[in-house]
């Protein structure tokens, strides 16, 4: 960009590290990183339990883990939407 043009998104261009992007996202919408962390925990637990699944078929085990991971993410998104609606409509910010 030339020096005469003003940046459209200056706050997004200054933060370039992944850590600062994740912290900014957590401040804006706190349930997105919580959903990502929950998804990672469910996948990790599923991989751990994969070794000790007993006589359960592999496909059935993977289906159960997929449903659990999706359920956690959908639950986190739902909580985030409800939190956002609560913040915007019930506890109105002072303008």
């Amino acid at each position: 960009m030339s020096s005469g043009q003003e940046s459209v998104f200056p706050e997004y261009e200054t933060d370039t590290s992944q850590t600062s992007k994740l912290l900014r996202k957590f401040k804006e919408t706190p349930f997105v990183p919580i959903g990502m962390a929950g998804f990672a925990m469910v996948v990790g637990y599923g991989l751990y339990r994969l070794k000790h699944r007993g006589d359960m078929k592999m496909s059935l085990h993977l289906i159960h883990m997929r449903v659990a991971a999706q359920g956690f993410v959908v639950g986190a998104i739902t909580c985030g939407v409800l939190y956002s609606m609560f913040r915007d409509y019930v506890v109105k910010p002072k303008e």
Side-chain angles (χ1 to χ4, degrees):
M1 296 184 105
S2 67
S3 61
Q5 290 181 339
E6 187 175 313
S7 176
V8 178
F9 301 111
E11 66 274 2
Y12 292 106
E13 292 176 0
T14 58
D15 295 336
T16 57
S17 71
Q18 293 295 330
T19 306
S20 62
K21 287 180 183 179
L22 186 62
L23 290 174
R24 187 185 72 236
K25 179 60 82 172
F26 188 75
K27 288 177 185 175
E28 291 173 359
T29 53
F31 287 96
V32 171
I34 292 171
M36 290 170 32
F39 175 79
M41 288 189 318
V42 169
V43 169
Y45 178 73
L47 289 174
Y48 171 75
R49 292 292 299 164
L50 186 65
K51 187 176 181 181
H52 307 288
R53 69 180 187 271
D55 60 349
M56 183 185 291
K57 290 184 178 180
M58 170 87 75
S59 61
L60 188 60
H61 176 76
L62 293 176
I63 288 171
H64 287 170
M65 289 300 106
R66 180 185 62 92
V67 169
Q70 284 179 335
F72 195 93
V73 170
V74 169
I77 290 172
T78 303
C79 289
V81 167
L82 292 174
Y83 173 74
S84 175
M85 289 174 59
F86 176 77
R87 189 178 57 200
D88 291 344
Y89 296 112
V90 176
V91 181
K92 296 183 180 184
K94 296 182 180 183
E95 296 177 5

